[in-house]
Amino acid sequence: VMKKINWVNFLHIYQPPWQDKGVIEQASSESYEYLFGLLDKYPKFITTLNITGSLVEQLEEFRPDLLKLLQALIKKGKVELTGSAKYHALLPLLPTEEIKRQILLNEEILSKYFFKKPVGFYMPEMAYSKKVAEIVKDFGYQWIVLDAINLDSKKEDDILYEIKNVGLKVIFRDRKISKSYPAEVIYKKLKQKNKKTETIITGTDGEMYGHFHKDWQGHLEKILQDDHLSIQSVSQYINNLTDNKVKKVKLLTASWETTAKELKKGVAFALWQDPKNKIHRDLWKLTKLAIKIVNQNTKDSSWKWARWHLDRGLASCTFWWASATKPSDFSPLTWNPDMIDNGSEELVRSVRSLHKIKTSQRLKAERLYIQIKKNTWETHWRKYHK
């Protein structure tokens, strides 16, 4: 008897709102086209997908054919969507009103293009806090997907977890398999001779398939043709777990990149808010200032533009690309001065857009912006450009 595997495969796809057209086109042809094509081709291939609202708009502009294909796949039940934050903001680090706004903006896009409100929710970077969970629950979502680091005990298989005092259901991905190339791991496991049936839950960036990693050996297509593999969406998996297997848990504040070492130090989101990182500190000062000024000036004739720049400026990438670490084998060094520039420019533009604010507020924002730019490029030429 061959081994049987049940694969619950969660994918997240996203590009920063200011991403270069060339990069969007490259990720589209290498990853999105590849994945949507396989979903279309193989009957058993289904997935739970988070596509951020900002990427939906980018696809409409650059690859409307892929958006049409995605709409068709959703209709056929091959793709289950989740809710999220439109511009991929790191939700636990934002004020409540900004969290709600990002979720609402995303819901507007999903209802415009896909017509149906999802039941599940993806917190960008799987960055969890109880506050965010409560907001997500209030929006009517039923489940979230997280990394097992949020559990302070060992993860048990085929148990449905529920967050204590929140009521959201939660499933946990296998970090080790998710951080390698899941299709290859599953391919090797299917070749093993033991008879045990195994459930594997993975959560990865969709861009891993084709864009960050070239599957030269065709592992993904091989396993999609293997009768011993079954695939479920997150909702199917949850619905098949009976009520007597529900376990209520308190969760730790962390993300899918947080390490045990960082948790010990009390730094849950080091890639986005490292207290030792000067650029991070200034970015958050500018973020808080921009949020405050924009929200104080809702009657300004250019408020709509200020708000638009601020929404985009909250994208988590600006902070991520300033962290200069290497979170996994498939990840680049998280250092990119252009990305830091792009994000901080959106933040300062939100303030620049307003007509009726004090000059002292403008100058405060400009000084922070210039400080970030100066530190970014000095660090770049001194340290990362050898």
Side-chain angles (χ1 to χ4, degrees):
V1 181
M2 289 283 285
K3 188 180 179 70
K4 278 193 163 54
I5 289 178
N6 177 33
W7 187 21
V8 183
N9 175 30
F10 171 80
L11 296 172
H12 157 64
I13 57 176
Y14 154 73
Q15 294 297 325
W18 54 79
Q19 183 62 282
D20 205 55
K21 179 180 175 228
V23 178
I24 294 170
E25 286 174 344
Q26 189 186 358
S28 294
S29 62
E30 291 176 345
S31 272
Y32 313 149
E33 199 175 300
Y34 171 63
L35 283 167
F36 296 172
L38 292 180
L39 283 158
D40 199 32
K41 178 178 171 184
Y42 290 101
K44 78 154 67 163
F45 193 20
I46 58 172
T47 192
T48 296
L49 176 76
N50 169 247
I51 176 170
T52 53
S54 59
L55 179 59
V56 174
E57 290 177 333
Q58 288 161 319
L59 289 184
E60 186 188 40
E61 192 179 342
F62 302 121
R63 289 298 304 268
D65 59 314
L66 285 182
L67 195 52
K68 281 204 181 71
L69 178 52
L70 178 57
Q71 287 165 327
L73 289 167
I74 291 164
K75 271 210 180 83
K76 279 191 222 160
K78 303 282 302 200
V79 172
E80 170 188 40
L81 289 182
T82 69
S84 193
K86 180 176 178 182
Y87 292 106
H88 199 273
L90 206 85
L91 298 178
L93 300 181
L94 295 184
T96 301
E97 288 317 305
E98 297 297 327
I99 298 170
K100 289 179 177 170
R101 182 177 167 85
Q102 287 272 335
I103 296 173
L104 268 175
L105 289 173
N106 201 68
E107 286 187 353
E108 280 166 22
I109 294 289
L110 293 188
S111 66
K112 179 180 167 186
Y113 290 93
F114 310 113
F115 312 114
K116 214 169 105 200
K117 180 166 163 158
V119 289
F121 190 89
Y122 168 71
M123 298 175 178
E125 306 286 352
M126 293 192 186
Y128 172 86
S129 74
K130 190 165 181 235
K131 176 175 92 168
V132 178
E134 285 165 346
I135 294 169
V136 167
K137 181 79 168 77
D138 286 343
F139 268 94
Y141 293 99
Q142 293 166 24
W143 57 257
I144 56 173
V145 51
L146 294 176
D147 186 272
I149 191 131
N150 297 89
L151 259 182
D152 56 2
S153 54
K154 203 172 159 355
K155 179 169 89 84
E156 297 172 65
D157 285 340
D158 297 324
I159 290 261
L160 182 54
Y161 290 95
E162 191 182 284
I163 305 167
K164 217 183 239 161
N165 305 328
V166 180
L168 266 182
K169 297 190 167 51
V170 54
I171 70 164
F172 299 98
R173 71 164 191 164
D174 182 309
R175 178 180 286 205
K176 196 167 167 240
I177 297 176
S178 300
K179 284 226 177 215
S180 55
Y181 183 60
E184 186 176 349
V185 176
I186 290 169
Y187 176 79
K188 286 176 178 160
K189 279 180 175 283
L190 284 166
K191 293 275 169 278
Q192 291 165 1
K193 289 287 177 275
N194 64 0
K195 300 183 182 70
K196 222 176 99 203
T197 298
E198 187 179 354
T199 296
I200 293 174
I201 300 172
T202 56
T204 61
D205 289 330
E207 291 84 5
M208 178 196 277
Y209 293 89
H211 183 51
F212 297 141
H213 177 71
K214 303 278 183 268
D215 188 353
W216 298 121
Q217 280 127 352
H219 287 123
L220 184 54
E221 288 206 60
K222 283 176 186 159
I223 65 173
L224 292 175
Q225 296 169 63
D226 193 314
D227 294 336
H228 298 92
L229 177 73
S230 62
I231 304 178
Q232 288 182 313
S233 68
V234 175
S235 285
Q236 286 172 335
Y237 172 72
I238 285 175
N239 294 339
N240 285 343
L241 289 175
T242 51
D243 290 342
N244 60 6
K245 284 186 180 167
V246 174
K247 186 171 180 180
K248 295 193 175 180
V249 283
K250 262 177 73 174
L251 297 180
L252 305 170
T253 299
S255 80
W256 67 358
E257 296 288 11
T258 309
T259 64
K261 208 160 116 194
E262 288 162 355
L263 273 186
K264 274 208 180 75
K265 281 191 202 151
V267 184
F269 305 119
L271 291 179
W272 304 273
Q273 193 185 39
D274 182 348
K276 292 199 176 99
N277 182 322
K278 193 165 169 30
I279 298 169
H280 275 179
R281 292 201 303 267
D282 285 342
L283 276 170
W284 281 108
K285 278 182 197 159
L286 180 56
T287 302
K288 285 179 176 139
L289 182 66
I291 288 173
K292 188 178 149 191
I293 294 172
V294 170
N295 288 333
Q296 278 171 351
N297 291 278
T298 52
K299 300 277 184 285
D300 194 284
S301 60
S302 283
W303 182 79
K304 202 181 99 195
W305 285 110
R307 191 61 255 195
W308 184 75
H309 284 299
L310 177 55
D311 290 333
R312 294 157 55 92
L314 296 176
S316 68
C317 318
T318 318
F319 308 89
W320 193 79
W321 284 112
S323 63
T325 52
K326 198 160 168 18
S328 80
D329 294 347
F330 291 106
S331 165
L333 174 75
T334 59
W335 175 257
N336 185 326
D338 290 321
M339 284 298 194
I340 305 167
D341 270 1
N342 291 343
S344 52
E345 192 166 310
E346 291 286 356
L347 292 169
V348 80
R349 279 181 163 199
S350 70
V351 177
R352 284 176 189 166
S353 302
L354 296 163
H355 290 307
K356 293 193 166 66
I357 64 167
K358 290 191 194 116
T359 305
S360 61
Q361 286 183 307
R362 284 189 202 289
L363 294 180
K364 194 175 176 186
E366 295 291 353
R367 279 188 200 110
L368 281 167
Y369 169 65
I370 288 164
Q371 186 69 22
I372 292 163
K373 215 176 173 64
K374 176 176 173 285
N375 284 333
T376 299
W377 288 99
E378 281 189 0
T379 304
H380 183 66
W381 299 123
R382 284 197 174 125
K383 206 169 160 187
Y384 297 110
H385 188 81
K386 292 282 191 279

